[in-house]
Amino acid sequence: MSHHSPIVDISRQKAEQETLQRKSIGFWIYLMTDCVLFATLFAVFAVLRPGTAGGPSGADIFDLPFVLVETMVLLVSSFTVGLGLLAARYGYKRQAIAWLVVTFLLGITFLVMEISEFRHLIAEGDGWQRSAFLSSYFTLVATHGLHIAVGLLWMLVVIIRLIRFNFKHTDLGRLSLLSLFWHFLDVIWIFIFSIVYLMGSLS
Amino acid sequence: MIDQIMQTLFGRLTPQDFVHDPIMAGAGIAMVGALILAIAAVTFFKKWKWLWQNWITSLDPKKIGIMYIIVSIIMLLRGFGDALLLRAQQVVNDANGVEILSSDHFQQIFSAHGSIMIFFVAMGLVFGVFNLILPQQLGSRDVAFPFLNSVSFWLFFAGMIIINMPLVVGEFSNAGWLAYPPLSGLQYNPGTGVDYWIWSLQIAGIGSLLSGINFFVTILKMRAPGMGLMKMPIFAWSALGSTALIMFAFPILTVTLALLSLDRLIDTNFFTTTLGGSAMLYINLIWAWGHPEVYILVLPAFGIFSEVVATFSGKKLFGYTSMVLAIIAITILSFTVWLHHFFTMGAGADVNTFFGIMTMIIAIPTGVKVFNWIFTMYRGRVRFTTPMLWFMGFIVTFTIGGLTGVMMSVPAADFQFHNSLFLVAHFHNMIVGGVLFGVFAAFTYWFPKFTGFMLNERLGKMAFWSWLVGFILAFGPLYILGFMGAIRRMDHYDPSLGWQGLFIVAGVGILFMGLGVLFQLAQVAYSIWKRKEHAVGPDPWNARTLEWATATPPAEYVFATIPTVTTRDAFWQMKKDHKTNDRPEHYEDIWLPKNRSEGFIVGMAALVFGAAVVWHIWWLLIVSLLIVIVVLVVALTRDDTEKRIPAEEIAREELRRATV
Amino acid sequence: MRNSKKRVSWRVAQVVISSLVGLAIVGAFVWATQGRDMPVLNPKGIIADQQQVLILITVGLGVFVVVPVFILLFAIAFRYRVGNTKAKYDPELEGSKVLEAVWWGIPLIIILILAIITAISTHALDPYKKIESSTAPVKVQVVALQWKWLFIYPDQDIATVNYLTIPDNTPIELSITADAPMNSFWVPALAGQVYAMTGMSTKLSFMADAPGEYRGASANISGEGSADMSFMVRSVSKTDFSHWLYKSSYSPNMLSWDTYEKLAQPSRGDGEKTYVVTGKDLYNQIVMKYMDSGSSSQPHTNTQTDHTMNGMDMSGMGM
């Protein structure tokens, strides 16, 4: 960087700042398109929910206490990722890494619980092939799970980079997007929990 | 044992899948032959490095735009060939046992024709124009996310290859361009055709979604200082509407295609006839995307014509605020009308009435736009150049299309038009007369901007008149055939009905449009050949917007210094203030994105992924997916993504351009 | 001098060529449409009659916009062509509140009128609505198959394939379903179309004005043989209809569930056939085939088939 004049570096920094701002807006817009995606899946679920074809309905198969634990795991992970971001903002690198690792483990726990729930259903003969209701249930929940998996991969990359490299403001930018993503998935899950599980168990 | 190994290795692909009937085999051989020829030529002229560095890995939107347009033109020729075959079959109508196309092949061709024309011609051309024009018109050097732009293009490219693969191996979907289940389901369509359709659209569609986000952010965040939203050129406004629609509509398509694919791959029951599935749900979903899609395509064309008519009238656009309001109204309303695509499903009078009236309401802002365009010429100095001829042709055809559209928006009347050739005539009226004419106008209008020479006007005008005559002959008969009760998509009909004459007229119309295409190809070739005689300066049309403020052809960095905008028609104002030759006292370094190969690699891996799903080759699917993931992780964590162009170099280049 | 002469002759040539092309286009259309029947504009039934009137009203209203557009387009373009230096040039003119109000306003009024017409006509011509008549209606159950139409007369225990005989001036009440991919039942001379879908029963009524033969077809692709799915509707006098019923009841072909399943196999170019129905409640069985046990929670079982549209739950989605 030594061969640049200081003026250039300032303009460079400004450009990088603008890039970061653009990325943040772009990411918000991406999340909005993801909202549309989930909204479509919710609509499909709502339409196909009565289509049980003689098979089980939600009330027959949902294990509400189990899902409640799942939900708590994800909520706590949303909290810890926030703590990680906060630590990173104040430059406490080791704390940030620690909180991210905790979040990562909670995310894994959530996924494992979801998969075990799926496996249980399939073992009972209530797989996605059974009825339109189950098809839409599996697809909606698994799409959220897939997002969680992507988030975990992203988190892994961020953790590795934090461990290996010096902390840069671009890293902070990425981390705040990741935490945004994670909160977003949390909100989607709240909807899944209330619309799919709670309302499904009640009716 | 060997069977098992073969099945693991090749999925359901067998040597028989390469066997095709003569027409398809011919097309396939021609395609592969052209590809081999192209590869040989590049190798012979030692252009691989040039191709790789200047095009494939380039993140320059000007180059990506040109690649979009080249692919789209090739696909236009393919779709055009399809149309010729379809009409030939209907003209001959199996008379004396002469069958040009079997029923199944006929159905594959109309499915391909529609899908290709919408996804790989209209969409491709629109994105091409966005890439070339939008950043410059906004006074920006680049799009918001240059790397994403490259990924989008290569996904589009991958989708294009997948939709053409059935020419060589397997078959294409025979379920129409929107593949309604249950016909597109496993029950009635167990082959590879529908899978090709799904994955071609899915991969290209994700590219479109990313492009939509990209250009939306570009318009919001990359405008030159001083260019408030109400000072944007109207083309940028139309692009804003179009990309907003992409953002809301394309996720619906992604989900719908994914669900149909799940039905076919892992036996889910979303759209099946049994176990609670609902085909009607699919039809609702696909049109919740499909209707906005029409406006995604036509809004940019509106924008193009707004620029064209103002420039060639030498005058401000009439009713700028009205135009903006109309675009916003159309953008919002286009999400409230999808049900008019299936009034005949039995939704009940109240629901049909609602959607019918919403549909008519869209005609109001559209009509306002038409009147504003016409009155832009009022008290102007109208020059009837080729782009202006396309504009005149557009108003005529689009108004007729609008009238027939309103006719079909009345549900009880629509029962007599639905799925007839009347409908086919209507939407070709909108898409050919609207979108395609718009892009043709854009092509002649902006061509000199990027090449430094004009397209030959005489050949351009001949192309226009051929297209117009062809248009009337090709689609006029379809309206009449609709009144006669002729349905769409029939490969033969009872000769005693007397429809053959009109099909012949329509066929002649296609030949005239083909003549128009030949004139256009000749126009490009001749203009390149005589480019010295056609050479022009940076502002050949006396234009109004910022993209004309740059050099011709534009430098890689486009603007040496970013202009400051004070009014609408910023370049027109600069000319009035005699500021076009102003040069800054000193230049600053410019940072531009470096070339990236990851976009290309992701696209190619997506192509392999698509083929692997179609043929059920699971190991290949996993491998290609892993490649996509790894490459994306690497790409998104790279930091040194920009290169510096030093101020001295810019000063030298600007001086050189000024003295030429 | 010579140049301008050349230009004039080029002008003349242009005029001649374009008039010839115009004439040729008109000629081609006249040649191709002469003496052909246009059932949509030449309806033979009470429903299609009203639909035709509706179409003409829409066109009439549309003309109020289309004609001014064409006149203004060519008049303004001609008047303000670059060669006409006498015309006023005002490059800064950027709009007119009055004019813009006019073309927001007038289309709004036209659409308002059309909206009222739409609301009334959509309810009046709702395909589920029965036609009022002093004559007792004839019920027909329509089944779209791959690739033929099966018509069942439930009250007469007669069934036909690929043709439909009806008494004139009698309301025909159709229930329509499919045992095939989606089709659309359309007899343009009698009434607009309605979809035929599996597991569902849609409805349509029509009434023919007079004896005659009217062509029908499936307006939606349903696979390889879609184009073969045309059929003839024969409208006959009431006495001829009774006569036809009597004759048909001696048909040697019996339609039971077994023969139905054979008939439902995909086939092309079947031709016309007449059956005596021996199977009980055949139509409902065909609909119920796709309503597996226990799925009665579906919004559209056979017992409540009117206005089935479970997709409608989605209105507002995507917004």
Side-chain angles (χ1 to χ4, degrees), chain C residues 86-106:
Chain C
K86 276 179 286 179
K88 206 170 168 186
Y89 178 47
D90 183 3
E92 297 303 316
L93 179 68
E94 57 183 356
S96 152
K97 289 225 165 68
V98 178
L99 284 175
E100 284 169 61
V102 168
W103 53 71
W104 277 100
I106 291 179

Side-chain angles (χ1 to χ4, degrees), chain B residues 12 190-200 261 264-265 614 616:
Chain B
R12 53 174 165 171
T192 55
V194 178
D195 296 306
Y196 268 129
W197 179 82
I198 290 174
W199 288 98
S200 168
S261 193
R264 298 176 57 80
L265 287 172
V614 171
H616 297 179

